[in-house]
Structures are given as structure tokens and as C-alpha cells.
């Protein structure tokens, strides 16, 4: 569903990502790993329109849809079907859990501001549908009981789930997760692994994730890409990556 071809990102004289090429197949869970500063989040930022690649192309293919997304705005890319979460949680912390998910629906809003202000019937119908959809998503991620609580009052693990629920409200086909297990304890990490596998099947998603927790990556990813200093040094299944000399050298160095 995603195809990155010789993608390069330069910041002045610094090459953050160099000639990166990869294919993310439909319906898979793919991991992107590498040491700190390897350029992983930069790749996510290019896919989602935060950065425009210096060179190369990024294509999103879904059914008859075939888009070059390299030069689209983030909102256009999200509307096409590619959504993400962030390494540092970015919830609307002073809004309720339900309101956070409700806002994710607005990408699909067909009414204009005039209809919304005067509460025309079409807007009221959409508002009701969005409310029911938000409740459904909260039920799926186990947060229905907390729907009226403020987002900042949730424990860390539940805030991660809420951010994913908000992303799901945009109706994505491809979900990008940037270090979803960051800051979690071992039990929360195990719960997250099950949760990602469940939503991937439930919503028929293609999942591309960055993660430093090797238990998560090796436990749920079918394919793993390894980045070092902005260069793709290996790709393969978990067993192949665990035994790849280049990967071992990148993480542990050589004697």
C-alpha cells in the first residue's frame, strides 16, 4: 500500500535519510527499527506530509487509488487513508476522551461551517453518526467507561489507546505508530501487542510502526526494516533480522 522509492531528506548539509526504498504490503504489520537518530521518525514525517522529501517519491496505492503523496499536505494524506500517532502523545488534554475521538471524525465531515452554525439537518445527522462512531471506537479500545474524563487524567497506557482511537476515527487504511510502547511497563507492553494485533484484524489495517521495544517488534511484525544513519541496512522477517551481522553491529558495535 505504501511504496517509498529512493527517498532522501536533507536538512542543510545534513542527510537525515539517504536513498531509502521500501514497500509496505497491504494487510501486514511492518516494523522500522534502528539506533537513536537513525532517521526513523523523519521517514514517518515524510510519509505523512510533515516534511517534503528532498529527493525520491512516496506512493500510496489502495484499490484504484494511486497517489503520489510526496507533495500533498498532511490533511490531504490523512483524508486519502494514511494516519499516524506520535512519539510524544499529542492529545487534546483538556478535552474529554469522547471529544478527542469525536474530533478525529471531522476529517470526513461533509457539512460546511454555515450548516454547522445553524445546525442544518444534514449536519445534525452527521453529528449523531460521529457520536455513535466515537462511542463504538472507545468500546473497541476499552475506554468506554472513561468517555467523560479529561484526556490528561488517563494513565499513560490508556492515553496511548486514546490516541490510536482518534486515529481510527479518520477511517485509515494505513496506520503509522511512532513508538507506541514508549514509557510503558512490561504488562502494558504485552497488552499493547495484543491490542495492535486485534485492531489490525478488526479494522483491516496495514500497520507501519517504529519501536525500540524488541519484544513488540519481534512479537507482532511480519517484516522488519532496519535503518542506521539514514540508510536501510537490512530487511526481513524477525528471525533474519535477529541474526543479521549488520544489525548486530549497528546496535552493539564490534569487538
Amino acid at each position: 500500500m505504501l511504496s517509498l522509492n529512493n527517498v532522501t531528506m536533507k536538512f542543510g548539509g545534513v542527510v537525515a535519510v539517504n536513498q531509502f526504498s521500501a514497500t509496505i504490503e497491504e494487510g501486514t504489520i511492518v516494523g522500522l527499527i534502528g539506533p537513536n537518530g537513525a532517521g526513523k521518525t523523519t521517514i514517518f514525517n515524510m510519509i505523512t506530509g510533515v516534511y517534503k522529501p528532498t529527493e525520491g517519491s512516496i506512493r500510496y496505492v489502495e484499490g484504484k487509488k494511486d497517489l503520489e503523496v510526496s507533495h500533498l499536505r498532511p490533511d490531504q494524506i490523512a483524508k486519502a487513508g494514511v494516519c499516524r500517532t506520535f512519539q510524544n502523545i499529542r492529545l487534546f488534554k483538556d478535552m474529554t476522551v469522547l471529544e478527542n475521538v469525536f474530533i478525529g471524525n471531522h476529517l470526513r465531515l461533509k457539512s460546511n461551517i454555515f450548516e454547522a452554525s445553524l445546525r442544518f439537518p444534514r449536519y445534525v445527522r452527521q453529528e449523531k453518526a460521529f457520536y455513535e462512531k466515537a462511542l463504538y471506537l472507545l468500546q473497541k479500545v476499552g475506554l468506554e467507561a472513561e468517555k467523560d474524563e479529561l484526556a490528561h487524567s488517563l494513565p499513560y497506557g490508556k492515553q496511548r489507546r486514546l490516541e490510536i482511537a482518534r486515529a481510527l476515527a479518520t477511517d485509515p487504511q494505513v496506520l503509522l505508530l511512532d513508538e507506541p510502547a514508549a514509557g510503558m511497563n512490561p504488562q502494558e507492553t504485552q497488552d499493547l501487542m495484543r491490542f495492535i494485533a486485534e485492531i489490525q484484524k478488526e479494522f483491516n489495517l496495514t500497520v507501519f510502526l517504529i519501536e525500540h521495544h524488541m519484544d513488540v517488534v519481534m512479537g507482532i511484525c511480519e517484516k522488519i526494516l532496519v535503518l542506521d544513519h539514514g540508510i536501510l541496512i537490512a530487511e526481513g522477517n524477525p528471525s533474519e533480522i535477529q541474526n543479521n551481522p549488520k544489525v548486530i553491529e549497528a546496535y552493539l558495535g564490534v569487538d
Side-chain angles (χ1 to χ4, degrees):
M1 298 196 78
L2 276 178
S3 177
L4 295 89
N5 301 296
N6 297 318
V7 175
T8 297
M9 187 71 224
K10 297 178 181 178
F11 298 100
V14 177
V15 181
V17 177
N18 191 8
Q19 298 291 301
F20 179 86
S21 295
T23 300
I24 312 300
E25 301 289 346
E26 183 177 359
T28 58
I29 302 178
V30 178
L32 178 62
I33 67 172
N36 287 329
K40 302 182 296 296
T41 296
T42 299
I43 289 174
F44 270 29
N45 285 337
M46 288 189 288
I47 292 172
T48 55
V50 178
Y51 298 151
K52 308 303 179 188
T54 309
E55 300 171 15
S57 68
I58 303 172
R59 304 199 71 81
Y60 166 61
V61 181
E62 190 266 318
K64 295 182 179 180
K65 189 185 300 179
D66 186 349
L67 297 176
E68 169 61 55
V69 301
S70 307
H71 305 295
L72 296 181
R73 299 189 311 266
D75 62 296
Q76 293 172 322
I77 295 170
K79 197 166 187 177
V82 181
C83 198
R84 71 176 293 182
T85 64
F86 293 86
Q87 183 175 345
N88 298 314
I89 294 175
R90 297 187 184 180
L91 295 171
F92 300 105
K93 295 185 181 293
D94 292 324
M95 299 177 73
T96 68
V97 169
L98 179 63
E99 288 169 340
N100 267 270
V101 180
F102 190 89
I103 282 175
N105 288 304
H106 280 198
L107 192 67
R108 306 297 173 189
L109 185 65
K110 294 187 171 82
S111 303
N112 57 41
I113 191 169
F114 178 74
E115 291 176 294
S117 299
L118 298 179
R119 299 191 63 78
F120 276 26
R122 183 169 77 151
Y123 174 77
V124 173
R125 287 194 301 271
Q126 286 184 316
E127 186 180 52
K128 182 176 183 293
F130 286 170
Y131 178 81
E132 292 172 352
K133 179 181 172 185
L135 285 177
Y136 169 77
L137 289 172
L138 288 177
Q139 181 184 14
K140 288 297 180 182
V141 302
L143 293 176
E144 189 177 23
E146 291 91 348
K147 67 182 179 67
D148 295 321
E149 294 184 23
L150 295 179
H152 68 74
S153 69
L154 294 180
Y156 188 84
K158 289 188 175 182
Q159 287 191 31
R160 283 287 181 194
R161 286 176 175 248
L162 176 56
E163 192 176 37
I164 292 173
R166 186 179 61 185
L168 292 174
T170 69
D171 295 332
Q173 298 297 313
V174 180
L175 179 62
L176 277 60
L177 303 175
D178 194 347
E179 295 196 37
M184 291 188 177
N185 61 42
Q187 184 57 54
E188 287 175 329
T189 300
Q190 290 296 317
D191 292 342
L192 179 75
M193 289 171 60
R194 288 191 291 271
F195 173 64
I196 292 173
E198 287 169 3
I199 64 168
Q200 189 263 338
K201 291 180 180 178
E202 174 77 21
F203 295 96
N204 194 28
L205 297 171
T206 300
V207 179
F208 190 21
L209 65 88
I210 296 171
E211 190 49 72
H212 284 292
H213 283 250
M214 288 300 106
D215 286 348
V216 174
V217 176
M218 298 299 169
I220 64 173
C221 292
E222 300 155 59
K223 182 170 79 171
I224 300 169
L225 310 172
V226 187
L227 201 65
D228 188 28
H229 293 95
I231 298 172
L232 182 67
I233 61 170
E235 65 176 295
N237 62 42
S239 178
E240 291 168 338
I241 294 302
Q242 284 176 320
N243 295 289
N244 188 300
K246 289 184 179 180
V247 177
I248 295 170
E249 179 180 341
Y251 271 93
L252 302 178
V254 292
D255 190 337

